[in-house]
């Protein structure tokens, strides 16, 4: 039996959850990995705050040096943000400690450098909890897709926005209403920007992208659109066209070491797509490999227990699994969602205006657009168009005499796959 | 760079796919694992059969000894069935070769003994491809759920039956019609028993059960019901009640080292369940862990490329990942699906009989059954009942003056989870 000293940085939702999980799973972990993890010190911001977990008071400190001196081989970082988390993680690695973190912002912005530092000091840094909470997506990419080239990833990576969109679609409520209620219940932060404006999903996509395409991108380069402008009318019309609207993170690579395109934006998925039914708190990642085809992983993307589970699974694996090698290269970044795919166009009507879907369809066709489908309701008219080009937006606005603010345009994803979802099978016996 | 000699046993769908995949992915595997896999010999049954892949003829043999003598460190078994596959695998392990196999029957029936033999000879036996094709479910359980106690697994594990049920539900066609067409197209075997009578799913469940519950069961002990008696009427009524019918493999453990219940049978799932939308060729496994909550893995359960992918991923991991330790114990086996859960009851009408759902509901309630919902169509009447007990079947038959053959009764699964699917979230920020 090995005895491993652990230092916790942060003792909030995740840090507290890790502490409790190490206790409740102690026997299972010991039986299966012959390792006993002992929390030896806990770094917090406010020493005086009352802690609901019994017996931890003597471990609590606000002095990082005391953590390093408490006989620890592993540091679990659960503070969040970049500073001082980054400084502490660096110091831990330099002191020869392994690091497990749940911090997506840190790993998105400084992951490459921190992994390099870890290698230099012959320790590991693992961060499964930073993407998709309890879903073992980083592990799957690092260990079970070694012989596959990942061609595309599509993810629902933010629980708060998925919860808001799910409720808006079910109840026809507005973004503001659902957000306010979510904040009241503690489901959304007082400052919701990180979630609803897509920053959180962008961080996670940057991390996924490194593993999937072995390429390094800075988070500023990733297209980012949030969900603030989504209306229940738009969701309803999308639904009537056979789609759901999700805040999707998508990454695609064109050929090996080829250019990649990455983006987070509200997008339509056909209801038959594996990600379309992923609702509320659930997160999901759809991976396409060149041999395996598509694999979808679904689970709880956040919350105390799923996140703590991922951290503790990383802990158990530190001394079992090899560190996945990441031979990173630079790739050209193409603008996301701009290629000739399908598009959802929602035209909001002006006060008192009557929807005339057929007339609008004819107008769109006259200017050369390929209309696949159209529906209308009191609030507006929605189209599915083929072979979209971003330049069309201004053409549509001009030709139809609209204002730019009347038009909402979203990519339609998962079209190719949808056909494969038909129950055809080759050699499946 | 390591050079690893590989011997293939079998060169059909899977063996041929492995050969092609090792070629097409050679550079990726080399880059990421610094290993070059070279196929040095191929065992087949008929030496004279023409092989569509160029250059393999010199490697082909019908003599197993020649394979062992061709300088191989790994044997890939893709023959199928128990004999001679078992004998070859044993001899390979005894000769100090690692083994990778796609053979669920072999691993379900003799896996415990073969793993013991492998350990004895300090080699590994991996079999990811045997369950769920390209879905890395064994790897996930072996490496990413070490700190979790798996409490329940629910799977769609057989592609042929899922394809048949999907088509029957979509087209209202009968089992016989869809099966015949599937056979004609080569999607189902001439002798379809292994698939449609549930043997294949039982093998896979036995394997999953070993990893999930660390317990050993013999395949004969697992409840097995096939899909031959399913009618399009039943599927339609289930759908109108808000459910889909799937051939589900379910395993549950009651407390640590507690009794387990295992079964394969047509079962109803609420349409909101993560497995309900899994159609056609897709397989899926829903895992419930005590900390992580539920994780669902979806992908292609069979076919040349997904299966070859799993075999080749296993090959890449032989020299990277530790062999998961399996401390097996014996558990009591409880009868599956018999506990007081919800039940779907479908009563077929006799020729010319008119459905009287309300009258039947009252009769059922009078004999003490809790009716949740009822629908009817020309062919019959269907109920959702609560707190079912297997003894009720004969009561219903007697009290309602039916023949046993008029009654179809199926477990309803995933009820508990459904509520969690509501967009509620704790601490998800
Ligand atoms: N919550 C989730 O569901 C979830 C899911 C996945 C990933 N994550 C990630 O996990 C990390 C932690 O999230 P959380 O929800 O656990 O946060 P939290 O509940 O706000 O807890 C943060 C903890 O860090 C401590 N802390 C803050 N600033 C500090 C400083 N300068 N020095 C030392 N300690 C400091 C706080 O101390 P006091 O207790 O004294 O205030 C608190 O214990 C974040 O990176 C987050 O993105 C969270
Ligand atoms: N097909 C799938 O999608 C799939 C998916 C998952 C798992 N699996 C499993 O993979 C295994 C192989 O399936 P498969 O579909 O590849 O089968 P297959 O296409 O029928 O190929 C079987 C191969 O084994 C050879 N063979 C048969 N009996 C032999 C014997 N006594 N000695 C030596 N070679 C013998 C055959 O030789 P000849 O070529 O000379 O006839 C043939 O090359 C089975 O365990 C199956 O359950 C298959």
């Amino acid at each position: 039996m090995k005895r491993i000293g652990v230092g916790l940085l942060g003792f909030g939702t995740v840090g507290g959850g890790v502490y409790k999980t190490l206790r409740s799973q102690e026997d299972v972990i010991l039986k299966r990995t012959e390792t006993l993890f002992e929390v030896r010190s806990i770094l917090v911001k406010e020493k005086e705050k009352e802690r609901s977990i019994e017996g931890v008071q003597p471990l609590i400190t606000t002095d990082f040096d005391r953590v390093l001196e408490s006989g620890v081989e592993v540091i679990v970082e659960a503070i969040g943000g970049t500073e001082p988390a980054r400084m502490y993680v660096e110091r831990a690695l330099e002191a020869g400690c392994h690091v497990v973190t749940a911090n997506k912002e840190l790993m998105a912005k400084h992951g490459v450098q921190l992994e390099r530092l870890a290698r230099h000091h012959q320790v590991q840094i693992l961060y499964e909890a930073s993407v998709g909470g309890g879903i073992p997506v980083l592990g799957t990419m690092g260990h079970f897709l070694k012989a596959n080239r990942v061609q595309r990833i599509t993810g629902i990576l933010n629980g708060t926005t998925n919860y808001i969109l799910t409720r808006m679609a079910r109840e026809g409520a507005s973004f503001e209403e659902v957000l306010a209620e979510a904040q009241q219940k503690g489901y959304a932060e007082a400052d919701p920007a990180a979630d609803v404006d897509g920053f959180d999903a962008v961080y996670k996509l940057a991390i996924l992208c490194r593993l999937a395409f072995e390429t390094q991108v800075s988070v500023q380069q990733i297209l980012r659109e949030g969900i603030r402008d989504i209306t229940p009318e738009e969701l309803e019309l999308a639904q009537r066209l056979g789609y759901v609207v999700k805040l999707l993170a998508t990454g695609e690579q064109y050929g090996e070491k080829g250019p990649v395109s990455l983006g987070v934006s509200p997008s339509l998925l056909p209801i038959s797509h594996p990600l379309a039914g992923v609702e509320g708190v659930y997160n999901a990642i759809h991976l396409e490999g060149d041999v395996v085809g598509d694999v979808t992983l679904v689970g709880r993307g956040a919350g105390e227990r799923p996140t703590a589970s991922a951290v503790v699974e990383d802990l158990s694996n530190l001394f079992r699994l090899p560190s996945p090698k990441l031979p990173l290269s630079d790739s050209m970044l193409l603008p996301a969602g701009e290629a000739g795919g399908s598009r959802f166009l929602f035209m909001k009507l002006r006060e008192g205006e009557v929807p005339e879907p057929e007339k609008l369809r004819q107008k769109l066709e006259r200017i050369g657009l390929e209309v696949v489908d159209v529906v209308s309701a009191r609030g507006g008219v929605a189209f599915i168009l083929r072979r979209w080009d971003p330049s069309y937006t201004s053409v549509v606005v001009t030709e139809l005499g609209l204002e730019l603010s009347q038009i909402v345009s979203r990519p339609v994803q998962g079209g190719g796959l949808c056909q494969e979802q038909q129950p055809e099978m080759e050699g499946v016996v």
Side-chain angles (χ1 to χ4, degrees), chain A residues 51-52 54 76 121 143 169 228:
Chain A
R51 309 290 164 179
S52 62
E54 222 181 310
V76 171
H121 291 279
H143 297 294
R228 289 189 201 259

Side-chain angles (χ1 to χ4, degrees), chain A residues 108-109 112 199 202-203 205-206 209-210 215-225 250 260-264 329-338:
Chain A
K109 292 183 176 166
V112 176
F199 291 98
V202 159
Y203 297 149
L205 181 60
C209 168
R210 268 204 315 264
T215 195
Q216 179 181 347
V217 283
S218 86
V219 294
Q220 287 82 3
Q221 291 177 285
I222 298 178
L223 171 91
R224 179 182 52 75
E225 278 177 35
T250 55
V260 297
S261 90
L262 299 174
V264 169
S329 58
D330 288 314
S331 288
M332 204 172 87
L333 209 69
L334 294 180
E338 307 264 305

Side-chain angles (χ1 to χ4, degrees), chain A residues 7-11 43-45 62 64 67-68 75-94 97-111 113-115 117 125-127 130:
Chain A
L8 293 184
L9 312 185
F11 203 60
L43 186 77
V44 296
K45 195 170 184 179
T62 54
F64 180 68
V67 177
L68 281 190
I75 292 290
V76 171
E77 187 276 307
I79 295 174
T82 49
E83 294 302 344
R86 173 162 87 143
M87 188 222 351
Y88 291 148
V89 168
E90 280 184 1
R91 289 194 50 202
L93 295 172
E94 283 161 1
C97 288
H98 300 286
V99 169
V100 175
T101 176
N103 191 330
K104 46 240 161 183
E105 185 177 357
L106 178 69
M107 291 312 292
K109 292 183 176 166
H110 307 291
Q113 174 244 327
L114 292 173
E115 292 199 301
L117 189 64
I125 177 163
L126 296 182
Y127 43 100
S130 69

